[in-house]
Each structure stands twice: as structure tokens, then as C-alpha cells.
Amino acid sequence: MTLAIMGAMPEEIAPILKKLGTYKTTNYAGNKYYEATYKGMNLVLAYSKIGKVFSTLTAATLCEHFGAEKLLFSGVAGAISPKLKVGDLIVATQLTQHDLDITAFGHPFGYVPEGSVFVDADKEMIALSKIVAQEMGKPLQEGIIATGDQFVANEERKSWIGETFGADALEMEGGSVAVVCDALNVPFFILRAISDAADMDASFSFDEFLETSAVESAEFVMKMVDKLAKK
Ligand code: ADE
């Protein structure tokens, strides 16, 4: 089994690389890909760089070039739901693109013909994550994650995304990774730890908590990998 672990920023995959210790590095299409064997599985890791375009390229490369059979994303997000505080974990049940807008043609936000507003994440891995959360004694919330090419630091925009899509958290890659994996039939799992509340203090909170929240998410994803190795 080849498993991909993806992040957007170096901080999001550094804790996992540190745990693996040794790995092979390959440069491909402007990114570094890290390959290792772990508990009888082939792992391939990468950070995409921020945003939908870079994350699309990386997710497609992980699946098509490196042969990923499952993809797990680890990273940070801005909270929409007031129930989510800095450091809390959220697993995406569905992903959407909040900045996709052809409403001028009568379509809903997040929709283009032959696409869909929401893409479902893999139910098996979501179920597994609940077991992992219980074993780790960590609260895990689940919900809709909205993705866009915007760092949201604005109450009004955040509320609009929450109301329009029923989203609980927002970030800049999950929705595009979801579209790629769905199209290629690669089961995917998107986990995020909250770094900020997508409000006027978001950039300060993000800078302060990126590293610690990224570690929270990475540790959880590695426990998921351990579980997947035993299957
Ligand atoms: N990732 C973490 N916080 C974010 C925010 N406020 N907006 C977009 N992506 C994020």
C-alpha cells in the first residue's frame, strides 16, 4: 500500500518527516517529495505550497506519479464554528470551494457544471479517526471545510462562508485536493488543527499558533497511519 501524506506548508509536514527519520527526497514539478517505508507501507510526503493551484498539482502528482492509494492531509485551518478553538482538531466530512462563483449564470456558489458544490471525504477513514481520537483521548470535531484562495481575516467573509456552505472551518487547499482525489478515485482524509478564528486577529493568531497546531494535526495523522498499517 502506498499512502500519501500531504500538507501545504513546510511546518505541516516537518513533524512527520522528523518522526520518519530517514527518507528519499525527489524533486518533481517544482516540489520535493519524500519517500519512506513505514510499518510495511510505502509513504510519500509533500507540502504543496499554499492555495488551490499548488495543492491540485501536488495531490495529482502524489496519486498519478507516486501511485498513492490513499491520501491524508494534515494542516491548520481558521475556525468558523464558535465551538472550535485554537489547537482543536476538525476532520472534514465534506469539502467545498467558497470562492468558486459563476452565480451570474444562475448556479449556486461553489458549483460549476459537471462538478458539485460538496465533495465527500472517505467515510472509512473518518470512522477510523473517531477510534483514534478516542484512543488518544483527544476531542475531534467533524464538519464541512470550505476552501478558497484567500486568507480570511474578516468576520463578514467568515460569516458568509459559514452561512452559505454550512462550513465549520476554512482553509486554502482541502477543496482542491478533494476534487483531485475524487476524480482519481483515491480515498482521502483531511484533518486540520485550528490556528485562528478567521477574524481581524487571524494573521497574528496564525503566526503564533501555526507550528503548535501543525504538530497537533501531524501527531493525529501519524496515529491514523499506524492504524492503517495494521489493517
Ligand atoms: N488557514 C489557517 N487559517 C486560515 C484563514 N484564516 N484563512 C485561510 N486559510 C487559513
Side-chain angles (χ1 to χ4, degrees), residues 107-206:
H107 294 298
F109 285 104
Y111 178 84
V112 291
E114 298 184 51
S116 62
V117 177
F118 297 102
V119 179
D120 291 346
D122 181 58
K123 289 189 175 53
E124 267 183 39
M125 283 193 279
I126 294 172
L128 199 62
S129 71
K130 291 179 185 170
I131 298 169
V132 167
Q134 219 163 32
E135 287 179 1
M136 290 178 82
K138 273 204 191 284
L140 173 67
Q141 299 187 42
E142 61 173 24
I144 294 172
I145 294 185
T147 299
D149 281 326
Q150 300 168 345
F151 183 84
V152 178
N154 176 313
E155 287 285 358
E156 215 176 304
R157 178 75 189 158
K158 159 182 153 166
S159 301
W160 181 86
I161 294 167
E163 282 156 21
T164 306
F165 300 99
D168 297 294
L170 55 84
E171 36 82 315
M172 302 179 70
E173 297 83 19
S176 37
V177 170
V179 169
V180 169
C181 291
D182 186 56
L184 296 173
N185 285 317
V186 173
F188 68 94
F189 173 80
I190 311 265
L191 184 82
R192 297 279 186 169
I194 299 302
S195 57
D196 60 85
D199 55 10
M200 61 185 284
D201 298 323
S203 59
F204 305 104
S205 180
F206 181 90

Side-chain angles (χ1 to χ4, degrees), residues 8-23:
M9 301 174 71
E11 291 85 350
E12 291 171 330
I13 67 152
I16 299 170
L17 288 177
K18 199 168 145 193
K19 177 154 183 177
L20 295 177
T22 53
Y23 43 83

